[in-house]
Amino acid sequence: MPKSSNQKLKLLYLLRILQKETDEEHYLNSQQLIERLEKYDISAERKSIYDDIARLTDFGYDIIHVKTKGGSGYYMGSREFELAELKLLVDVVQASRFITLRKSRELINKLEQFVSGKEAQQLQRQVYVAGRVKTDNESIYYNVDFIHRAIQENRQISFQYMEWTLDKKLVPRKGGARYVISPWALSWNDENYYLIGYDKEADLMKHYRVDKMGSIELTREERQGSIVFENFDIAVYTNKTFGMYGGREEIVSLVFADQLIGVVLDRFGRETDIRRLQEGTFRVRVKVAVSGQFFGWLTGLGTQVRLAGPENVVEEYRNYLKKIYGRYEEGCSGQ
């Protein structure tokens, strides 16, 4: 009887069967493996199954032979990823705002290839995150890859920077003018990807949301700003820049209720200098980018925080609060 053209693929199909249909709780005996191979028009005998599994094991695959009162069989032991690791990755993909719904499904389907069919069902999870809105802009994946390439090749990039209009469309800022930036790093902050790059004209490190960068091109020019970047601390920069909105830098003094210590360490880091004050309060001195977002963060903490200085920033904050209050004064038109 002539052999099937698939016969030469016997080892590969056997490996696929073990990977997709077996795990620690599900195994297949030699007869079941023979039957599975027959579906691919591949003939096999018990002895050849033993020999093939031995070859796969010698090559490095962790194939376990179990013997129980109910019989014996084989299953795929350790894999590239443990199930718990894949569950974590799936949760991250689903919770990531910058990954579109369609791309999330594609990535999860690919992750399922690393476990058996039974275990793959456990990866069909749904992570609910309050207020989470998935982006519908898939260009971000290619933008990230493009920026990494520019960094590796030590080249500047040019791009259009986009903004939303009231009719919910992204249009180029500055009439479509192109920004030329030396890319140095990517940062994930406040659920968004940001490019950290050097702007030669301003002689400053700046940040740009990657999902709002359009028509990215590599230039022939080498990156600039290496000296500036050497003295640039991304962690410090993102901690002081609330919501990645810029503003002038100031060292401010803040007095918090003790129960907000976790909020402070999450916001400014564990290296923050903490000074105990009267019972129930503590003070920190931190560098921040003074902006509406910073004042909004303070306001959200209510009476459990007090901006203690410097006086010019305190006065700005008073005016900020007065303007908000003025919008709600009695007799306000509401417009």
Side-chain angles (χ1 to χ4, degrees), residues 238-289:
T238 54
N239 282 340
K240 73 186 179 187
T241 309
F242 284 73
M244 296 303 282
Y245 284 86
R248 76 176 190 283
E249 294 184 1
E250 293 267 9
I251 295 178
V252 300
S253 178
L254 301 168
V255 177
F256 293 90
D258 283 352
Q259 57 264 37
L260 291 187
I261 182 62
V263 172
V264 170
L265 295 181
D266 286 344
R267 175 74 260 181
F268 300 108
R270 296 183 63 180
E271 302 303 317
T272 304
D273 183 28
I274 307 293
R275 300 292 177 91
R276 294 182 181 276
L277 299 179
Q278 61 189 23
E279 186 176 354
T281 63
F282 65 92
R283 183 181 65 200
V284 300
R285 293 183 75 249
V286 292
K287 182 181 286 187
V288 303

